[in-house]
């Protein structure tokens, strides 16, 4: 088991984990009590999510639970675009917070932080130009 542990799991303090998904993006979020730090793929959250909407979406669960200065957050994200990744981090962070403090779960659930946004890109069908787009019909 020691060979499969991640670099995040080597801390002395107890860590909590949450997985978030949005469209094609998957986020693994680790939180532990400690100094206020938020990194995504090794970069500060402000640097990774430069758009205000993405940054706000990713950090919203911490502001809602008023724990933004009490926990250290590390997220590993892959797949999808930056907007989908922000949504994945939001969900993973919410799940990890609900494991850290189970009393937060009803409030997080009520405000939609634990609900997965399951909208996905529709697949392209064979014999067509795209997911819905058809080739132009010609009578002659």
């Amino acid at each position: 088991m020691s060979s499969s542990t991640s670099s995040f799991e080597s801390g002395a303090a107890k860590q909590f984990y949450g997985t978030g998904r949005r469209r094609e993006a998957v986020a693994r979020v680790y939180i532990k009590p400690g100094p206020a730090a938020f990194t995504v793929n090794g970069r500060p959250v402000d640097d990774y999510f430069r758009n205000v909407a993405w940054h706000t979406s990713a950090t919203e669960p911490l502001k809602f639970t008023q724990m933004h200065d009490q926990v250290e957050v590390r997220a590993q994200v892959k797949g999808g675009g930056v907007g989908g990744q922000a949504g994945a981090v939001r969900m993973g962070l919410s799940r990890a917070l609900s494991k850290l403090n189970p009393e937060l779960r009803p409030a997080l659930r009520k405000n939609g932080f634990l609900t997965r946004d399951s909208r996905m890109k529709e697949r392209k069908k064979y014999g067509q130009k795209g997911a819905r787009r058809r080739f132009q019909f010609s009578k002659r």
Side-chain angles (χ1 to χ4, degrees), residues 15 30-39 67 70-74:
Q15 293 195 126
Y30 300 87
I31 63 170
K32 64 181 178 181
F38 198 136
T39 57
M67 295 190 72
Q70 300 171 19
V71 292
E72 180 183 337
V73 182
R74 293 188 199 180

Side-chain angles (χ1 to χ4, degrees), residues 40 44-51 54-55 58 77 82 85-86 89:
V40 180
V45 70
D46 310 345
D47 189 34
Y48 195 84
F49 297 122
R50 292 180 180 237
N51 185 323
W54 297 334
H55 178 269
V77 194
V82 187
Q85 289 181 350
V89 169

Side-chain angles (χ1 to χ4, degrees), residues 105-118:
R105 188 171 174 81
L108 288 168
R109 165 71 62 201
K110 186 176 179 216
N111 288 282
F113 290 108
L114 294 173
T115 304
R116 180 174 186 269
D117 189 349
S118 60

Side-chain angles (χ1 to χ4, degrees), residues 55-73:
H55 178 269
T56 306
S57 174
T59 58
E60 205 173 4
L62 286 177
K63 290 180 184 140
F64 177 75
T65 57
Q66 297 164 351
M67 295 190 72
H68 47 85
D69 55 346
Q70 300 171 19
V71 292
E72 180 183 337
V73 182

Side-chain angles (χ1 to χ4, degrees), residues 6-19:
S6 132
S7 61
F8 295 125
E9 297 171 4
S10 59
K14 184 134 173 76
Q15 293 195 126
F16 299 90
Y17 169 77
T19 304

